[in-house]
Amino acid sequence: MKGAISVVAGMCLMFANGWNTEILIHIVGWTMIGLGLIELINMIHRSHKQANWGFPLFLGLLEIAIAAILLVSTIPGLGIEYQIPFRIAVLSGYVLFASVVTIFIGFSSFSNMTDRFMWIVNGMLGSVLAFVLFAGSGLSITMHIELFGTYLLVNGLTDLFFGVHSHDEALELKAERAAKRVAAKKGKR
């Protein structure tokens, strides 16, 4: 679900030529709220399977907090000269943090080399985009949001691929276990 939301939002942000900056910020903000809520729901769903629910809780709350910061920054009365650099810093910081975490997850979590490679490359790509967002002071806010859309698209595609791959692995594991049970029953006879 997170992957689908990220892909749709990323495409909207990447190809939103001529859209008002405030609309783009709202798309980013509401997308981040959606991603944070899905992370929290996934954490609750997986809580009976895993003991380490602290990090998903932190990530979900972080995404919701970033969304709140971005959406509050659209309130009139804040000086526009402060809003744009602030929004860029928030987006850049989030992308860098999430990318570094993704790299660490890739190195530490998966025994499957395909999953490991996928998450590490995703984190490296996100880190490059974060540095471009940080260093791109001459770029417009719209270009920064389009780059953030690129991050969302890549991250969403990785999430979708991981979900499909994990589902296929679970089916294969289930079939192997069933075959072992059948072989064990035949061996006892």
Side-chain angles (χ1 to χ4, degrees):
M1 187 72 155
K2 274 183 83 167
I5 289 173
S6 294
V7 167
V8 170
M11 296 286 282
C12 285
L13 294 172
M14 285 176 56
F15 301 112
N17 292 333
W19 287 16
N20 182 334
T21 303
E22 300 305 315
I23 293 172
L24 296 175
I25 293 293
H26 279 278
I27 291 171
V28 171
W30 289 108
T31 299
M32 296 297 290
I33 285 176
L35 295 177
L37 289 174
I38 290 171
E39 187 70 36
L40 293 175
I41 291 168
N42 283 341
M43 178 204 64
I44 292 168
H45 176 70
R46 292 183 304 225
S47 65
H48 67 281
K49 294 180 184 176
Q50 67 186 39
N52 57 349
W53 52 268
F55 183 72
L57 175 65
F58 173 73
L59 190 59
L61 293 176
L62 176 69
E63 289 172 338
I64 292 171
I66 287 172
I69 289 169
L70 289 172
L71 291 172
V72 166
S73 75
T74 62
I75 295 174
L78 297 175
I80 192 69
E81 65 276 2
Y82 300 114
Q83 288 178 354
I84 292 173
F86 177 72
R87 291 173 182 165
I88 292 170
V90 167
L91 289 177
S92 303
Y94 169 74
V95 171
L96 183 61
F97 175 77
S99 299
V100 168
V101 167
T102 301
I103 291 170
F104 282 119
I105 288 172
F107 276 120
S108 65
S109 295
F110 302 106
S111 59
N112 182 316
M113 290 307 288
T114 302
D115 295 342
R116 182 175 286 208
F117 175 77
M118 178 181 55
W119 285 106
I120 292 169
V121 169
N122 180 24
M124 290 169 38
L125 247 131
S127 297
V128 169
L129 281 170
F131 285 116
V132 169
L133 287 169
F134 272 130
S137 60
L139 301 175
S140 67
I141 183 70
T142 306
M143 181 58 77
H144 281 90
I145 291 174
E146 288 174 1
L147 288 170
F148 184 73
T150 304
Y151 167 76
L152 284 177
L153 180 65
V154 168
N155 201 31
L157 289 173
T158 302
D159 282 348
L160 288 174
F161 178 78
F162 180 71
V164 169
H165 189 256
S166 294
H167 179 72
D168 289 346
E169 280 186 335
L171 291 176
E172 289 173 10
L173 185 61
K174 191 175 182 180
E176 285 176 18
R177 287 181 183 160
K180 285 181 182 178
R181 272 188 255 126
V182 168
K185 285 181 182 179
K186 284 182 182 180
K188 287 183 180 180
R189 290 183 188 172

